[in-house]
Every structure is written in C-alpha cells, then in structure tokens.
C-alpha cells in the first residue's frame, strides 16, 4: 500500500470513528467513544493510581500505607486505560525536569496500553503552591483571608497553574472552601476564614486564576466538613439545615456559578449520619440539580473505601462502590480498590445499572476532551510543554512576598512600640525565630512530604525571621534565645531566654505553631487540639517574659487563632501571621521595622480564653454576652480587626436606590437623608463612603460593609459581611468606595427552609472591622417577600474612585 493509499484509509477511519473528529461537539464524541468501550475500559476511566508508597509510618494521606499494599503491578492496572495519575511530582522529592520526564514516561505507557490511546489526567495538590519539590511555597489560605485581596489571590493561582500546566499536570486539588467554625480543628489553616462571603470571593478568585491556565480546580470538601464535632478531623457533623445552607454552601455556589469550577471533592465526615460519598441528595440533587455543577466529582482519598472501613454503611468494597456511584462520585482516588473488579461484579450481577457507569465515565471523558488530551493536532497536554522547569521563578516569589506582606495583622500596638527603633537593643526569643520552616503550612511540600526525607533540602530559598530582622535592622543589637520548643513540656531553656531578654530594651517573642499531618505538628490535617492555649510551654515563656517589665512584642506564626489570655493587655504590641510562606521572614521583618505598613485584617476571631470555641461572629444575639451566663464569648480581637501605622477617617455615607438602568429614582426618601434609602425586595442600592488617610505615611485600609437584619422570621446573625475593598491611600489622600448591593445579598433560609428576601429594615454599617463600624445607615426593603432562585445575586461589586 502506498503512502497515499494509507492516508486515504486513515481519513476514512477517522470519519468512521466520530470521537476522533475534533470539529464535532464534545457530547457527541463522548457518546461515540463510550459506545465502543467495554465495561472494564469504562471503569478504568473512573479511578486513579498512586505509585509512590510512603516510608513506614510516614503516610501523607489518611491510612495511605494500608490501602497501598497489595496493589497489582502498574502494567496490569493500566491495561484497560486509566482515569487519573496521582501525585507523580508531589509524593517524593523530584528535581523538576526529572519529575516531568517521569510523568511523560508514565503517560506513554498508559497511552500504549489501552486500545484508544487515552492518557490519564495527572493531578497534584496545590493549596499553597504546586506541592512539589523546588516550587514556590505561597502563604496558607488563612493568610489569603487576612489579605482580603481577591485580585492578588487570583494572580497567585495563575502562577501556580502556569507551573503545573508546563509540567504536564491537568488538575489541582484546591481550593478549600470549608468555612472555619471551630478553631480547635487542625485544618483551620487550610480554610480562608470564618465568613462565607470572604471564603467565596477569594476561593472563586483562586478557581478563575488556576483554570485560566487550563488546569482544573477542585473544590474541597463538599460539604459541611469544617463543622465536625469538637473540632476533630473526620468527626461527624451535626449542624442545622439553615447553618448548612447559609454558612457552608455559599462559597461552593459562588465558585460553581461565578468561577465555573470543573471538579468537586466530597468530604470525609458524615453529615447528620450520612457520609457524603454515599449521599445522592448531596452530590446529585443539591450539587448538580440546585447548584448547577456539571463537572466531575472526585473522591477524597480513600473516601469510597471509608464507607466500609470507617462509616460502616457498606459491608464490602463492592457495596461501597455501588453506594458511591449511585450518589454521584465519578472517580475513586487516589488508588483503585472499589471501582475496579468489585464494581464490575456489581454491574454484572445487576446490583447497579451500567448507565451509571456510563454517566461517570462520560464525565471523565468530557474533561479529557476539554483538555485536548485526545486531540494530538491541538498539542495534547498529556505531557510537559517545555524543557524549562523553574517552579520558583522570581515572579512567583514576588507574588508570594506581596501576599505575605498584605496578610500580616497588627493586633495591638500600645504606645507605638512598633515600628521598632532601628538602633534598639533587641532580644529575639522563641522557638520559631530561628526556624526557616516556621512559615510553611501543612500542605507545603516541606511539611507535607519533606518531613519523610530529612536529608533533602526544602528546595526553595527561605529566611528565618531572626536573619531577616538582622538584615532589616543592621544598626540594632540583636541577641537570640530559643526559650523552648513549639511542643513538649521542657522548660530548661526558659531561664537562659529570660537572661537574654533582661539585657534588652525590647523583647520580640516569636511563638506559634509547627505545621504537620496526623499529629506530627501542632496545626494541620489531623492535628486537632482540645483547647486554644499556645502549644507546649510557650504561654509560660511569654508570661515570664512579660513579668520582666520590658516591652514585649509578640509575633504569632500560627495555623489557627490562639488565646493569649490576661497577658494580652500587658504586651507592647502583638502581630498575627498565618503561615505566610517562604517569603514570610522578610515580610514580618518589614512590618516590625516599619518598611511595610501592616494592612491585614483578621479572617477569624481571636478567642478571649483557651476554652473558647466559636465566639460571636455570625452568631445571633443569643450568643452574645448575657447576664444569664457567666461565660463571656466576646472575642479578644474581632473578625475584620487589624491596625495600621497610619490612621483612617470615614466620611460622607451615602445610600441611594438604583434602578436597572442605573438611574437613581427620587422621592423614595426625604431630601437630605443620605444615610437611608428604600429599594424593592428585588432592587439594588449603592452604599458609598469616603475614606481619608489622616496619618503621615501611606497605608492600605480594608473597607468593610456589614449588614444586620434586626427583625426576621428566624434568629439572624448580629452582623455579616456583605462586601469589602482594599483601598491604597497616600498620606492625606481621599478615595470614594462605592458598593452596589442587591437585595438578594440579604437573603437567608427561612422557616420554610427556602431562600427568602423579606421586606423590612436592614441596618448598614461601614468600617474597619466587624465591631469598629464608623458609619451607620438604614436600607428599607419594600414589596412582596421574594424567594430567589438559582440566579440569585451572590456578590457585591465595588468601585474605588479618586476624589
């Protein structure tokens, strides 16, 4: 046969197999390909394979070793194809080019092994950056929340996605959209904060940034996971349907509807007794039917097996597979245990219909078509895109620096103790002052995987705070004493630290957490606590430092808020950071020196005492201080709190009604009342104020809009965040901040269990925190009670105008 004849045959073959024709609609291509596949081939698209076994006792996922042992050889696992490759980069230290080559080699094997030449989707963790050796370690999500900066979060996610896409990775397991509810939960550091609007806006920005690079984002953990009882990881969740609907769901709804996210991961915990992996109402009726999600649902690692081994709702891998498939779980991760032979047997026995397999496999294949993995002529992304694999370029480090600086919260500054005198005599004390890994969260590569490889460097440059302070303040006299470890009860190093501190003008106490996994740290997945004391003997160290009578500046580097107790009022200053990433040392030093003006705001409350759990933010009036209880839940520092080295004035509140055409109608309120307006229950208002920098240095204020519904059919929060804006101001400068608020932003789930916008009065507050509201007004909603549907307005657009 001549080359010309062969070309004609190839053309006819392509026409005869519509799934190969790139010009056809993806739905038609998926349908045709599914019709050609056997049951084992379809099932092969519905699970992943994780080739790396952990060193003994060093699991990087729950019970990893237990479920890894006994897997068949890789060639056997991929003989019918493969849905996903699990963490080729992020399981052990791999030099970037070697990791890309390894992934490419595996993809070649997978393509050659199955008769359709379908590659796998390669996924990796990416919560604080591409979780691989030598990749930039960005601040942890709680630090994103403290920055209140969706644009910068989106910029970070774009940079993360660009590195992943270049390496041949197709899917990232982030962001976490769980709303923080109990600070004892170890995974609070992975959350963006305690307010669903803040979580939703920043999480959606992350989704948009990551997916702009062609990498699929994956929302975690659907849903209610962070409501686990007593703050224990994977504990049952017992929350009411309104808390579930109004606190836990909105971030997911926002990321689905406004971010267009393509993947969702179910949670481990059971929700009112039903594990999400077996919950058809949750994963199909709610997620797909009500929220409109049309992507792929992936299992949290071993989550389908846990239906049998932890939850006890299945008696075998086959039963677990049937439950998960019926519920709507499309892909088993990270390894196959239930969706292989056990599910095939269930289909052949009639225990589950094959059309459910077609549904799940079809969703996976649609992703692969959308990614271009089956279209070589489009430059399929099954393998890496180039030879230059710098996962920590200067541009990434610059983003990490800006985000770290923006996230630092100045809690208190009595008498102007900060910035530090550049020629001061300083005692820097504490277990985190000299630790280069102090700034790394539990999902950074050094903490998540590197702990099992102690002889390997972290892979990225880092600078301990002690070193950064010495560079920042070259004329200062700085002495250092560790004082104690992060954990443990050894107090032997406290006396030398007190001696060091006694010779100083100012003491800088650097205290907090060591991130880890499953009890290997004081914060992180599986590192839950029973109270909110600083770990180990750090509280004792701090108390004794304060007793010296020297000015003490405490720097907290943590994954959760901690109660400092009575010592707080005796501190000269307090700075809160939430694992600010590899640029954290220089960022904190910059704030202490005054080179950086702090602008971070608390995304979660600081509790008043170690026994506190939830405090008052997002709680109804019953949760406030009351004469009927001896417990005062008022937070030590409230949600949204954060000071600056300059001061800001709020002026000229204006609340006006806006019609659909943008016209502001007259006559709804008396002339001259600029702090009150009326709109329909389907209307829009503009709420605006002027902010002036009244200090002598440039600074950034986070202007926060809060609403309160004083009379409603259910008990409502005392206040809730409805909008925010970061406003940069030079000394003396004014800018006008304009929020466009739709009535839907006042909606809640009422007595009937459905979303409702009620007519009546809404109190409006603008200010610097949830309790520091500088301007107050009223918005009256008029007209019939409304029940917003799936097209309800989810966000409050904001404009910052020059004055």
């Amino acid at each position: 046969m001549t080359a010309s004849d062969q070309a004609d045959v190839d053309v006819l073959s392509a026409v005869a197999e519509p799934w190969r024709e790139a010009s056809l609609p993806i739905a038609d291509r998926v349908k045709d390909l599914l019709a050609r596949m056997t049951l084992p081939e379809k099932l092969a698209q519905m699970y992943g394979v994780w080739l790396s076994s952990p060193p003994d006792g060093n699991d990087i996922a729950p019970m990893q070793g237990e479920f890894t042992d006994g897997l068949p050889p890789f060639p056997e696992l991929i003989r019918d194809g493969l849905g996903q490759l699990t963490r080729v980069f992020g399981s052990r230290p791999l030099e970037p080019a070697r990791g890309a080559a390894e992934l490419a080699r595996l993809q070649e094997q997978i393509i050659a092994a199955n008769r359709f030449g379908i590659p796998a989707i390669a996924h990796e963790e990416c919560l604080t950056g591409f979780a691989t050796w030598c990749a930039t370690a960005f601040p942890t999500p709680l630090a994103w929340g403290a920055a209140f900066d969706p644009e910068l979060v989106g910029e970070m996610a774009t940079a993360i996605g660009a590195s992943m896409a270049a390496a041949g990775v197709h899917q990232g397991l982030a962001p976490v959209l769980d709303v923080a509810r109990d600070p004892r939960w170890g995974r609070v550091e992975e959350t963006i904060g305690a307010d669903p609007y803040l979580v939703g806006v920043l999480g959606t920005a992350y989704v948009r940034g990551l997916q702009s690079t062609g990498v699929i984002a994956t929302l975690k953990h659907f849903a209610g996971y962070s409501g686990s009882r007593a703050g224990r990881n994977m504990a049952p969740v017992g929350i009411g349907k309104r808390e579930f609907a109004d606190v836990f769901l909105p971030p997911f709804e926002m990321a689905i509807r406004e971010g267009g996210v393509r993947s969702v991961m179910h949670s481990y915990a059971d929700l009112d007794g039903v594990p999400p992996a077996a919950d058809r109402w949750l994963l199909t009726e709610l997620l797909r039917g009500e929220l409109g999600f049309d992507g792929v649902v992936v299992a949290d690692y071993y989550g389908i097996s846990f239906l049998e081994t932890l939850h006890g709702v299945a008696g075998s891998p086959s039963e677990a597979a049937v439950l998960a498939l019926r519920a709507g779980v499309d892909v088993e991760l990270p390894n196959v245990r239930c969706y292989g032979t056990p599910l095939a047997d269930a289909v052949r026995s009639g225990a589950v219909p094959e059309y459910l397999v077609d549904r799940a496999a079809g969703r996976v294949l649609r992703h692969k078509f959308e990614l271009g993995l089956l279209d070589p002529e489009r430059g399929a992304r099954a393998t890496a895109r180039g030879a230059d694999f710098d996962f920590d370029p200067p541009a990434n480090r610059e983003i990490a620096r800006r985000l770290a600086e923006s996230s630092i919260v100045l809690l208190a500054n009595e008498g102007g103790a900060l910035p530090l005198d550049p020629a001061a005599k300083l005692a820097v004390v504490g277990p985190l002052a000299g630790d280069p890994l102090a700034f790394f969260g539990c999902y950074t590569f050094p903490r998540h995987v590197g702990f099992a490889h102690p002889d390997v460097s972290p892979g990225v440059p880092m600078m301990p705070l002690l070193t950064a302070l010495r560079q920042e303040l070259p004329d200062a006299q700085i002495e250092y004493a560790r004082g104690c470890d992060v954990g443990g009860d050894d107090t032997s190093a406290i006396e030398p630290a007190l001696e060091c501190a006694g010779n100083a003008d100012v003491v800088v106490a650097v205290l907090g957490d060591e991130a880890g996994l499953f009890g290997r740290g004081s914060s992180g997945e599986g590192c839950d606590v029973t109270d909110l004391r600083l770990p180990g003997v750090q509280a004792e160290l701090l108390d004794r430092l304060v007793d010296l009578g020297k000015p003490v500046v405490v720097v907290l580097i943590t994954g959760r808020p901690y109660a400092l107790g009575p010592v707080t009022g005796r501190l000269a200053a307090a700075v809160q950071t939430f694992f600010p990433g590899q640029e954290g040392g220089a960022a904190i030093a910059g704030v202490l020196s005054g080179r950086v003006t702090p602008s971070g705001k608390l995304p979660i409350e600081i509790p008043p005492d170690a026994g506190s759990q939830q405090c008052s933010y997002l709680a109804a009036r019953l949760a406030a201080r009351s004469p009927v209880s001896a417990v005062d839940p008022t937070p030590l520092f409230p949600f949204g709190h954060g000071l600056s080295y300059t001061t800001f004035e709020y002026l000229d509140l204006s609340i006006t009604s806006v019609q659909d055409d943008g016209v502001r109608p007259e006559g709804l309120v008396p002339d001259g009342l600029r702090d009150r307006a009326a709109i329909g229950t389907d209307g829009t208002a503009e709420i605006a104020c002027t902010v002036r920098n009244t200090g002598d240095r440039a600074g950034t204020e986070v202007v926060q809009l809060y609403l309160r519904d004083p009379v409603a059919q259910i008990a409502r929060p005392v206040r809730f965040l409805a909008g925010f804006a970061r406003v940069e101001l030079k000394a003396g400068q004014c800018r006008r901040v304009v929020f466009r608020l739709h009535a839907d932003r006042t909606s809640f789930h009422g007595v009937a269990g459905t979303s409702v916008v009620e007519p009546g009065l809404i109190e409006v507050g603008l200010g610097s925190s949830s309790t520091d509201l500088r301007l107050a007004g009223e918005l009256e909603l008029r007209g019939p009670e409304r029940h917003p549907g799936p097209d309800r307005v989810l966000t409050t657009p904001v404009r910052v105008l020059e004055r």
Side-chain angles (χ1 to χ4, degrees), residues 434-742:
D435 184 355
L437 289 178
F439 317 112
F440 288 67
C442 75
Y443 266 79
T444 57
F445 188 84
R447 294 297 199 192
H448 202 68
V449 179
F451 76 92
H453 305 272
D455 297 331
V456 177
S457 77
V460 292
M462 59 192 70
M463 184 184 298
L465 179 55
L466 178 64
T467 304
L469 265 179
R470 284 174 169 155
Q471 291 187 7
E472 194 78 35
L473 300 171
D475 296 328
Q477 300 177 58
I478 299 177
E479 298 297 328
Y480 164 66
R482 182 173 176 82
C484 64
D485 294 331
V486 169
D489 57 5
D490 184 0
T491 60
S492 61
I494 290 182
E495 289 298 335
L498 295 177
E499 182 178 348
C500 175
N503 297 323
D505 299 326
V506 178
V507 179
V508 178
V510 188
L511 311 173
D513 278 318
E514 180 179 9
L517 296 168
F518 314 124
R520 286 191 293 266
S522 59
S523 173
E525 184 174 359
C527 299
D528 314 311
V529 295
T530 57
D531 64 47
L532 297 174
R533 293 183 184 89
L534 280 168
V537 296
Q538 292 182 85
E540 180 181 347
L541 171 64
L542 182 59
D543 285 345
R544 296 188 64 184
L545 288 170
V546 170
D547 286 343
L548 292 174
K550 302 279 185 177
V552 175
V553 175
V554 66
V555 176
L556 298 169
I557 306 170
T558 70
R560 61 162 63 84
Y562 282 103
L564 299 179
V567 74
T568 306
R570 302 167 61 199
L571 295 170
V575 174
Q576 174 69 65
T577 69
F578 297 108
F579 293 140
Q582 72 184 62
E583 298 296 317
I588 297 171
V591 167
L592 296 179
S593 73
R595 175 179 56 81
V596 176
T597 299
S599 62
K601 300 287 187 175
L602 286 176
I604 189 170
E605 293 175 334
I606 302 290
D609 55 66
S612 297
Q613 297 163 33
Q614 291 179 230
C615 290
S616 58
Y617 181 66
L618 284 190
R621 279 179 284 181
L622 277 175
R625 183 177 182 179
S626 167
V628 303
S629 173
V631 176
D632 182 0
T634 304
L636 185 62
F637 297 105
F639 178 90
H641 171 77
L643 305 178
S644 176
Y645 292 152
T646 186
T647 54
F648 302 98
E649 181 182 19
Y650 285 67
L651 306 162
D652 302 330
L653 173 65
S654 173
I655 305 177
T656 54
S657 172
V658 179
Q659 294 178 340
D660 291 341
D661 59 5
V663 176
R664 297 173 180 171
E666 302 297 330
L668 286 179
V669 295
D671 292 342
L673 294 182
R674 293 171 54 82
D675 61 355
R676 178 179 170 86
I679 62 174
T681 52
D682 62 350
T684 301
E686 280 196 350
I687 302 169
C689 71
T690 297
V691 183
R692 175 185 291 134
N693 183 343
T694 53
D696 59 2
R697 63 187 292 165
T700 298
E701 172 70 328
V702 178
V703 178
Q704 300 164 51
L705 169 65
Y706 290 91
L707 303 180
R708 179 172 181 260
D709 190 349
V711 180
Q713 59 184 264
I714 65 166
R716 299 280 285 131
V718 172
R719 66 188 59 83
F720 57 93
L721 185 69
F724 60 88
R726 283 183 63 90
V727 184
E728 297 179 2
L729 294 164
K730 299 174 183 176
Q733 183 182 12
C734 293
R735 301 184 79 179
R736 188 77 173 161
V737 182
V738 183
F739 295 96
R740 194 175 184 90
L741 180 83
H742 192 277

Side-chain angles (χ1 to χ4, degrees), residues 28-239:
D28 293 344
R29 301 177 71 189
V30 169
K31 182 178 179 181
D32 179 69
L33 181 53
L34 275 175
R36 300 171 186 275
M37 299 174 82
T38 65
L39 177 61
E41 287 171 334
K42 288 184 279 191
L43 292 175
Q45 297 299 315
M46 295 165 51
Y47 53 74
V49 167
W50 196 357
L51 293 177
S52 296
S53 298
D56 290 343
N58 287 317
D59 289 359
I60 57 177
M63 307 175 195
Q64 180 185 1
E66 176 184 339
F67 291 109
T68 301
D69 295 341
L71 281 176
F74 187 62
E76 184 176 338
L77 287 170
I78 64 171
R79 65 186 177 191
D80 293 309
L82 183 64
Q84 296 222 0
L85 270 170
T86 296
R87 298 183 64 175
V88 172
F89 282 88
S91 299
R92 63 196 187 283
L94 281 178
E95 188 272 333
R98 182 184 164 200
E102 173 72 3
L103 177 56
R105 181 184 65 79
L106 293 171
Q107 290 283 27
E108 289 171 359
Q109 286 184 255
I110 294 164
I111 290 168
N114 72 92
R115 62 193 181 104
F116 298 103
I118 303 173
I121 289 174
H123 78 257
E124 297 284 346
E125 297 283 1
C126 59
L127 189 66
T128 52
F130 184 8
T132 187
W133 196 46
C134 303
T136 307
F138 291 94
T140 203
L142 203 55
W144 314 349
F148 276 77
D149 193 337
E151 289 76 19
L152 187 51
V153 169
E155 194 175 339
M156 173 193 68
T158 301
I160 294 169
S163 293
M164 296 171 75
V169 177
H170 313 107
Q171 182 167 350
L173 304 187
V176 170
L177 296 190
D178 300 307
V179 178
R181 299 297 279 169
D182 188 332
R184 296 175 300 174
W185 192 46
R187 304 192 79 167
V188 162
E189 67 169 78
E190 299 177 49
T191 75
I192 295 170
D195 183 273
Y197 185 72
L198 178 66
V199 173
V201 169
L202 297 187
T204 300
Y206 183 99
V207 168
R208 287 172 172 158
L210 194 74
Q211 294 194 163
S212 71
T213 67
V215 175
I216 295 168
T218 306
L219 306 184
K220 303 182 343 186
H221 306 87
F222 195 76
Y225 186 38
S226 53
S228 58
R229 292 174 187 159
R232 291 187 64 250
N233 193 45
M234 295 174 65
V237 173
I239 56 177

Side-chain angles (χ1 to χ4, degrees), residues 304-305 308 314-323 332 337-339 342-343:
I304 298 176
S305 289
E308 175 196 1
S316 66
S318 179
E319 290 180 11
V322 170
L323 284 174
E332 180 180 18
R337 179 175 179 267
C338 302
Y339 271 15
L343 183 52

